[in-house]
Amino acid sequence: MDDNQRRQFEAKLLEKQQELVDKVKKSEEYGREAESEEESPDLVDKASSSYTKEFMFRLSNSDRQLLQMVNAAIDRIRNGQYGVCQNCEESINEKRLEAVPWARLCRDCQELQEQGRL
């Protein structure tokens, strides 16, 4: 992978990073708003608010995990390890990186991990 490709992937990852940071902030703000509305005496409103908070928590948790993967990919770019499978140390296919720029495993190793064999 040449420097130009690395810069393109880094730009893509930095954009995704900002998108996720904004999304996490919004979900946290919404959770705080829902919490302040919880003083409602209506049980239906309380149940709805509770469900919404739980949904937003799950959403922000998965976004946080994705943000960690994006941050790790940015670190790999900066230390020269981007595009190399962290298991078998073979190059990760460029099409895979186009689809999932934060991928840390090649397709074969990813399949092994999903099968619980890695």
Side-chain angles (χ1 to χ4, degrees), residues 46-64:
K46 281 185 178 183
S48 176
S49 175
S50 179
Y51 172 79
T52 301
K53 281 190 338 188
E54 181 65 26
F55 176 77
M56 294 305 292
F57 175 75
R58 278 194 222 120
L59 174 68
S60 65
N61 190 38
S62 64
D63 287 338
R64 281 187 187 96

Side-chain angles (χ1 to χ4, degrees), residues 89-102:
E89 298 182 0
E90 295 292 323
S91 292
I92 299 174
N93 184 297
E94 192 173 324
K95 287 184 180 184
R96 175 163 169 72
L97 291 173
E98 284 289 335
V100 187
W102 50 86

Side-chain angles (χ1 to χ4, degrees), residues 5 8-9 14 19 21 27 32 42 47-48 52 57 59 63 69 84 116:
Q5 289 172 309
Q8 289 175 347
F9 281 118
L14 289 170
E19 174 190 322
V21 166
S27 67
R32 282 192 287 272
D42 186 11
S48 176
T52 301
F57 175 75
L59 174 68
D63 287 338
M69 290 187 281
V84 177

Side-chain angles (χ1 to χ4, degrees), residues 65-81:
Q65 289 173 345
L66 181 53
L67 180 58
Q68 288 176 337
M69 290 187 281
V70 168
N71 289 337
I74 292 168
D75 288 343
R76 287 193 303 276
I77 285 176
R78 293 179 177 164
N79 67 26
Q81 296 175 340

